[in-house]
Amino acid sequence: MFYKLLIVVFLAVSLHGTPSDGQKKKETLLSEKVSQLMEWTSKRAVIRLNGEKFRRLIRAPPRNYSVIIMFTALQTQRQCAVCKQADEEYQILANSWRYSSAFTNRIFFAMVDFDEGSDVFQMLNMNSAPTFINFPAKGKPKRADTYELQVRGFAAEQLARWVADRTDVHIRVIRPPSYAGPLMLGLLLAFIGSLAYLRRNNLEFLFNKNVWAFSALCFVLIMTSGQMWNHIRGPPYAHKNPNTGQVSYIHGSSQAQFVAETHIVLLFNAAVTLGMVLLHEAATSDLDVGKRKIMCMAGIGLVVLFFSWLLSVFRAKYHGYPYSFLFG
């Protein structure tokens, strides 16, 4: 009877001790992971991951930290200009967090380059770059954990808002000082001042209607093409599929645009405007009839051709739009 009692007590202690040992192993493994990530972060704000590191630190439990990963293709042979631009903004965001007084081990920033972790791209069925995904501390990434790059752009401030929304970690973006803007403004003012000084005895050009009309027209073309949207959202110049190499200059949604798209629209609008000016001059100028006919034909050609292209761009973005002209 005494031996049976000892066996029962031994089994009870053994069974009770097993979860405790497992819990200790789990905590030890988690501590090792966090220590490793903290060590890498102390050397570089954005941790570079390959397939083995991704599976061990991101996919395999345990994990009590979130990881923001940029999937990209930075190698020269990939010719992904957008990836390089997005990487610059991502580095600014990661460094802002690394040197923040609020820095903790709740969240880490990492990167998977296609040429270093193509198996990760295949594992996640990913066929475009750059792509930002949040891997939360608990559970699998949801749809909202994939950043809408083509809608929101890759500016560090936009990324910080998305990170705050997904992780409740608020990062104050600190950019390195840039003197390009003040320098360009200073050069412009110096140019205007020099021009005014050289022509100080004849300032009639300041009252020239054509000069002011041309300046106003340039401003209108810049604003209507979407440059202000680019400045606010910071979209990529274009999008290149890393698998097929196909480059898209026109965004397929009406909710977003590429920088190249605004340049194209600006060119088309300018050509239509030039056509209208030629038509007006053909009707009102005192030139001979032959030259006026040439101006008229050129004006009609510019308006018809480039307005048709504008409509085709509009149809490409607003699917189902029924009207077209020349180009379907």
Side-chain angles (χ1 to χ4, degrees), residues 21-77:
D21 293 341
Q23 185 67 24
K24 288 181 179 179
K25 290 181 181 179
K26 184 178 179 181
E27 291 176 357
T28 301
L29 179 58
L30 179 60
S31 177
E32 291 175 353
K33 283 185 173 184
V34 174
S35 299
Q36 181 70 82
L37 290 170
M38 290 293 287
E39 180 184 351
W40 287 338
T41 302
S42 66
K43 298 176 182 178
R44 182 182 293 175
V46 177
I47 302 168
R48 298 186 75 96
L49 300 176
N50 55 23
E52 184 275 328
K53 292 178 181 177
F54 178 82
R55 285 185 286 271
R56 178 167 58 88
L57 298 170
I58 310 301
R59 299 284 288 205
R63 181 162 55 85
N64 64 350
Y65 49 85
S66 297
V67 183
I68 307 296
I69 300 182
M70 179 176 75
F71 296 89
T72 185
L74 294 175
Q75 298 300 318
T76 305
Q77 66 268 22

Side-chain angles (χ1 to χ4, degrees), residues 3 10 13 39 79 84 100 128 153 183 187 220 230 296:
Y3 291 108
F10 175 77
V13 172
E39 180 184 351
Q79 299 180 352
K84 296 178 181 178
S100 170
S128 63
L183 180 62
L187 290 174
V220 170
N230 293 342
C296 181

Side-chain angles (χ1 to χ4, degrees), residues 238-310:
H239 176 72
K240 181 176 181 180
N241 190 312
N243 292 333
T244 63
Q246 183 179 1
V247 180
S248 300
Y249 298 102
I250 305 295
H251 197 284
S253 169
S254 61
Q255 303 299 317
Q257 66 184 21
F258 298 131
V259 175
E261 181 180 329
T262 63
H263 295 165
I264 294 171
V265 171
L266 188 151
L267 175 63
F268 288 177
N269 282 331
V272 171
T273 303
L274 177 60
M276 298 297 292
V277 171
L278 289 174
L279 287 173
H280 177 268
E281 290 298 314
T284 59
S285 68
D286 296 329
L287 298 174
D288 60 84
V289 177
K291 291 182 179 179
R292 292 169 65 181
K293 285 183 178 180
I294 294 174
M295 292 173 64
C296 181
M297 296 302 297
I300 292 175
L302 286 171
V303 171
V304 170
L305 181 64
F306 285 94
F307 184 73
S308 299
W309 274 333
L310 273 175

